[in-house]
């Protein structure tokens, strides 16, 4: 992590390591900034879950076979009406369309594969870069 | 934060075992693995386990935690046991609905109701 979460500015770019405290601190940075901008508990829940799932996808899937020490980058911008988060890993990327739908009956008991579903459910917009190693997601404050 | 201390509290009432979580957030992967391992030991300790998992006080839950719950459900089923979930916060219940896991699990408002539903 590049700085303590207590300083949490409205925008930042953080190198997140694959360990609990580093991931917690990165999520807290976004959430502390969002709290300052008056986002509700439900909004904070949504954004934290989406950021967590995107970071974990980067570590578990994006960095599969790569050194565990590689960080994932989280860039965020918190404004009064929107929260934009970009998570980029250093892996070869993936094709989002290839991820099986975990809500189908044949997949419902699979142990993994729900992160992207939750990100899409809770964020207003989700875009992947062509390579598939970067996801940009935007949360819009409900009216 | 990951810890070597137990992340769950277990109460036994007759042949019913009730698990509660120590943490408000079930997000950390190493904690989730520890929880999974501890519950696996509890299930293995009974021939036909009757297990209640209470989410009282839990505020956040990741997809990895859902994966661990599915593994618990499968293990309970393998041992011809019964699993019930209870005290799920509305925000967390929404996660179950989005993933449609509310159809897979037997979910009850309270632990008492969950106990009553056991056969």
């Amino acid at each position: 992590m590049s700085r303590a979460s207590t300083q949490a500015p409205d925008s930042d770019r953080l190198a997140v390591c694959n360990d609990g405290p580093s991931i917690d601190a990165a999520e807290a940075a976004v959430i502390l900034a969002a709290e300052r901008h008056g986002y509700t508990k439900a909004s904070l829940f949504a954004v934290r879950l989406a950021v967590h799932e995107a970071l974990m996808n980067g570590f578990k899937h994006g960095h599969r076979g790569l050194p565990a020490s590689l960080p994932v980058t989280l860039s965020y911008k918190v404004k009064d009406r929107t929260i934009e988060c970009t998570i980029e890993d250093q892996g070869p990327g993936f094709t989002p369309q290839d991820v099986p739908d975990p809500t189908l009956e044949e997949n419902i008991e699979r142990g993994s594969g729900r992160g992207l579903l939750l990100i899409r459910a809770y964020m207003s917009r989700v875009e992947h870069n062509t390579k598939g190693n970067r996801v940009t997601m935007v949360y819009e404050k409900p009216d | 934060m990951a810890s070597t201390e137990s992340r769950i509290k277990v109460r036994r009432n007759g042949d019913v075992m009730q698990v509660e979580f120590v943490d408000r957030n079930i997000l950390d992967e190493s904690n989730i693995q520890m929880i999974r391992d501890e519950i696996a030991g509890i299930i293995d300790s009974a021939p036909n386990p009757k297990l209640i998992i209470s989410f009282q006080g839990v505020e956040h839950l990741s997809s990895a935690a859902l994966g661990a719950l599915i593994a618990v459900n499968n293990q309970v089923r393998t041992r011809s046991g019964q699993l019930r979930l209870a005290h799920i916060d509305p925000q967390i219940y929404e996660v179950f609905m989005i993933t449609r896991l509310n159809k897979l699990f037997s979910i009850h408002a309270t632990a008492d109701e969950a106990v009553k539903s056991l056969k």
Side-chain angles (χ1 to χ4, degrees), chain A residues 95-131:
Chain A
T95 305
Q97 293 82 356
D98 290 347
V99 177
D101 180 350
T103 65
L104 294 178
E105 194 167 338
E106 62 263 33
N107 298 328
I108 199 77
E109 294 195 51
R110 286 172 66 121
S112 61
R114 293 176 181 82
L116 194 53
L117 171 73
L118 292 171
I119 291 168
R120 286 173 173 153
Y122 280 108
M123 299 302 273
S124 311
R125 295 198 302 276
V126 180
E127 292 171 9
H128 298 269
N129 66 341
T130 306
K131 183 180 174 186

Side-chain angles (χ1 to χ4, degrees), chain A residues 52-53 60 111, chain B residues 26-27 29 32 61-69:
Chain A
H52 182 85
E53 296 296 337
K60 282 161 67 173
Chain B
I26 308 176
L27 297 168
E29 298 274 320
I32 291 169
L61 186 80
S62 68
S63 66
L66 295 176
L69 280 176

Side-chain angles (χ1 to χ4, degrees), chain A residues 20 42 45 53 56 109 111 114, chain B residues 28 63 67 70 74 77 91:
Chain A
F45 178 90
E53 296 296 337
M56 295 318 300
E109 294 195 51
R114 293 176 181 82
Chain B
D28 183 274
S63 66
I70 291 168
N74 291 338
R77 205 161 46 193
Q91 277 185 327

Side-chain angles (χ1 to χ4, degrees), chain B:
Chain B
M1 179 181 287
S3 164
T4 54
E5 291 178 21
S6 175
R7 308 323 302 162
I8 59 173
K9 292 178 280 188
V10 184
R11 277 188 288 176
R12 292 173 194 269
N13 187 2
D15 60 347
V16 179
M17 297 169 288
Q18 184 174 324
V19 170
E20 291 181 12
F21 298 97
V22 171
D23 302 300
R24 286 183 303 151
N25 301 328
I26 308 176
L27 297 168
D28 183 274
E29 298 274 320
S30 54
N31 280 349
I32 291 169
Q33 186 58 49
M34 188 186 295
I35 288 167
R36 169 74 191 99
D37 292 345
E38 285 190 73
I39 295 178
I42 292 165
I43 295 168
D44 278 340
S45 70
N48 304 106
K50 293 179 180 175
L51 182 63
I52 312 286
I53 300 181
S54 167
F55 289 80
Q56 189 144 37
V58 174
E59 296 177 358
H60 283 277
L61 186 80
S62 68
S63 66
L66 295 176
L69 280 176
I70 291 168
V72 165
N73 189 47
N74 291 338
Q75 188 188 358
V76 167
R77 205 161 46 193
T78 301
R79 294 184 64 82
S80 303
Q82 299 173 65
L83 172 66
R84 304 287 187 265
L85 309 185
H87 283 298
I88 298 181
D89 174 270
Q91 277 185 327
I92 292 182
Y93 187 72
E94 191 178 18
V95 173
F96 280 83
M97 288 201 297
I98 290 166
T99 56
R100 299 198 186 163
L101 290 174
N102 58 320
K103 306 289 183 196
L104 181 69
F105 293 105
S106 178
I107 299 176
H108 300 266
T110 66
D112 286 344
E113 285 182 24
V115 171
K116 284 178 190 162
S117 77
L118 293 166
K119 294 163 192 159

Side-chain angles (χ1 to χ4, degrees), chain A residues 55-120:
Chain A
L55 286 171
M56 295 318 300
N57 277 350
F59 289 121
K60 282 161 67 173
H61 305 298
H63 286 179
R64 181 173 292 147
L66 299 175
S69 58
L70 279 183
V72 166
T73 304
L74 164 65
S75 306
Y76 69 88
K77 276 184 229 165
V78 178
K79 299 178 182 174
D80 284 346
R81 303 293 308 169
T82 61
I83 299 172
E84 180 179 315
C85 297
T86 298
I87 290 93
E88 181 168 356
D89 65 60
Q90 300 181 56
F94 81 115
T95 305
Q97 293 82 356
D98 290 347
V99 177
D101 180 350
T103 65
L104 294 178
E105 194 167 338
E106 62 263 33
N107 298 328
I108 199 77
E109 294 195 51
R110 286 172 66 121
S112 61
R114 293 176 181 82
L116 194 53
L117 171 73
L118 292 171
I119 291 168
R120 286 173 173 153

